[in-house]
Amino acid sequence: MQPFLGLSTANHTAFLFPGQGSQHVGMAAELHQHYPAARAALEEADDVLGFALSRLMFEGPEDELTDTINAQPALMAASVAAMRALEAELGNLSARGGQTVYVAGHSMGEYTALVAAGSISYADGLRLVRERGRLMKLAGEQAPGLMAAILGLEEAQVAEICAQASGEGAIAQVANDNCPGQIVISGNRRGMEAAMAALTAAGARKVVPLAVSIAAHSPLMQPAAEALRAAIDATTILPPQAPIIGNTTAQELTTVDAIRNELTAQLTGSVQWTASIQHMADVGVTTFVELGAGEVLTGLVKRIARSARRVTVRDVEGVRTYAEMLRFGIAAS
């Protein structure tokens, strides 16, 4: 099981993989048209899952693509298509040695990061995220919840207020620490309504309920986590061939057991994205490359590691731009 991107593509670089929310109709269509390797990746996804995922990605309908059971494998397929297109453009540039590349993914994107690191095969990754999406959807139907974005307060204050709003059947907790001043919380209606009112009173600039009924990264996902663990344990997982930073710990995952535990824990635990990016910056990462749909993660990096170079690779222009950066040594500066 070889990683798609070796450890020597660029000096002090991290490849980032987006999670749910970045999907959109038309994703990866241009890469499919211009790069046979990207086309093969999307066709493989269709074959593995047994339906025309790529057509759904290209044509919609949007509500069907946004359904968590489809969005998660679609996001992985788009990122792998971008990786393979980049490899096709780079040629032997990936053979340069002596440098380190980190990988990380936001929530579901952590699975794609493991594929990139050679820890999980692409086919197994697709099957896992499809099952993850199915189980999350089921958990949301059985125990509906709410999520909300909190702007203008720091994570510690948000976490404390959520803790105060929880108890006696009320649930609210930090789901994503995305960047300074942007926190997402998750829980059941009772806990969330109390937390949102308290956060508004505490001076949050905005409290924005999200258009979801699934309380991701909260205890409401515990049934999904327990069922998903069986699928994770049945999947072949190898030690990663590139340093991968875990969502819930913001530290490097170095063993298979650590990976299995992380993939289980992240369904109910908080995504420590601010700390993850800061950790990579602290160890010398100077360029962050987002591969796949959207540019959400590079936008967050701008708020966390302001001096870092940010690149998005989601279409032909992005692939060629990053390849040129490497040819001229810009990404390694």
Side-chain angles (χ1 to χ4, degrees):
M1 193 182 302
Q2 295 297 318
F4 285 120
L5 294 169
L7 305 188
S8 56
T9 305
N11 193 26
H12 305 306
T13 295
F15 290 102
L16 307 179
F17 300 94
Q20 207 161 332
S22 290
Q23 71 278 351
H24 58 87
V25 174
M27 58 198 289
E30 191 180 64
L31 296 174
H32 175 274
Q33 180 180 354
H34 285 84
Y35 290 100
R39 187 178 312 120
L42 294 166
E43 290 173 352
E44 183 177 353
D46 293 348
D47 291 341
V48 168
L49 298 178
F51 74 102
L53 176 67
S54 60
R55 181 182 302 171
L56 180 60
M57 293 165 64
F58 303 158
E59 302 174 6
E62 185 175 1
D63 60 344
E64 189 174 341
L65 176 62
T66 302
D67 190 328
T68 187
I69 196 172
N70 296 322
Q72 296 196 30
L75 286 161
M76 175 175 283
S79 289
V80 172
M83 283 192 284
R84 290 188 173 170
L86 188 58
E87 288 177 327
E89 193 73 32
L90 289 174
N92 64 8
L93 286 177
S94 62
R96 295 182 299 171
Q99 300 134 356
T100 301
V101 169
Y102 287 77
V103 296
H106 191 284
S107 189
M108 166 263 136
E110 188 165 46
Y111 288 76
T112 315
L114 287 163
V115 172
S119 189
I120 296 175
S121 74
Y122 177 37
D124 282 342
L126 287 166
R127 284 187 281 263
L128 277 177
V129 295
R130 176 79 166 170
E131 178 68 356
R132 182 180 186 269
R134 186 187 72 81
L135 291 169
M136 290 178 69
K137 182 178 181 178
L138 179 61
E141 291 169 350
Q142 294 174 341
L146 304 175
M147 299 182 75
I150 313 301
L151 306 182
L153 297 178
E154 294 305 305
E155 190 272 345
Q157 185 178 8
V158 174
E160 181 179 358
I161 290 173
C162 284
Q164 293 170 353
S166 298
E168 299 183 357
I171 297 172
Q173 74 173 41
V174 171
N176 307 327
D177 179 4
N178 282 334
C179 67
Q182 185 188 121
I183 311 296
V184 175
I185 64 173
S186 183
N188 62 13
R189 181 170 294 277
R190 182 178 172 186
M192 287 289 288
E193 287 179 348
M196 288 189 289
L199 289 162
T200 299
R205 182 161 52 86
K206 284 186 179 181
V207 175
V208 184
L210 304 183
V212 298
S213 60
I214 295 175
H217 303 292
S218 85
L220 274 68
M221 288 292 107
Q222 187 59 41
E226 293 171 358
L228 184 61
R229 180 63 193 237
I232 291 168
D233 286 344
T235 299
T236 298
I237 299 178
L238 301 178
Q241 298 178 46
I244 178 168
I245 307 303
N247 279 187
T248 64
T249 64
Q251 298 296 315
E252 188 176 338
L253 303 173
T254 59
T255 68
V256 170
D257 283 346
I259 291 169
R260 294 190 196 278
N261 292 336
E262 163 65 22
L263 294 180
T264 306
Q266 56 129 276
L267 265 184
T268 57
S270 301
V271 176
Q272 300 297 317
W273 193 249
T274 298
S276 295
I277 297 299
Q278 190 59 60
H279 174 83
M280 288 183 279
D282 288 346
V283 297
V285 171
T286 58
T287 300
F288 292 87
V289 184
E290 183 172 1
L291 285 158
E295 52 187 4
V296 170
L297 300 185
T298 46
L300 298 178
V301 170
K302 184 178 181 180
R303 299 283 304 276
I304 302 166
R306 294 180 181 274
S307 62
R309 191 180 304 277
R310 302 174 303 278
V311 184
T312 58
V313 178
R314 57 180 175 169
D315 52 22
V316 173
E317 181 182 3
V319 170
R320 292 176 178 169
T321 297
Y322 184 58
E324 285 301 304
M325 289 174 63
L326 290 182
R327 290 188 179 101
F328 291 101
I330 297 174
S333 62

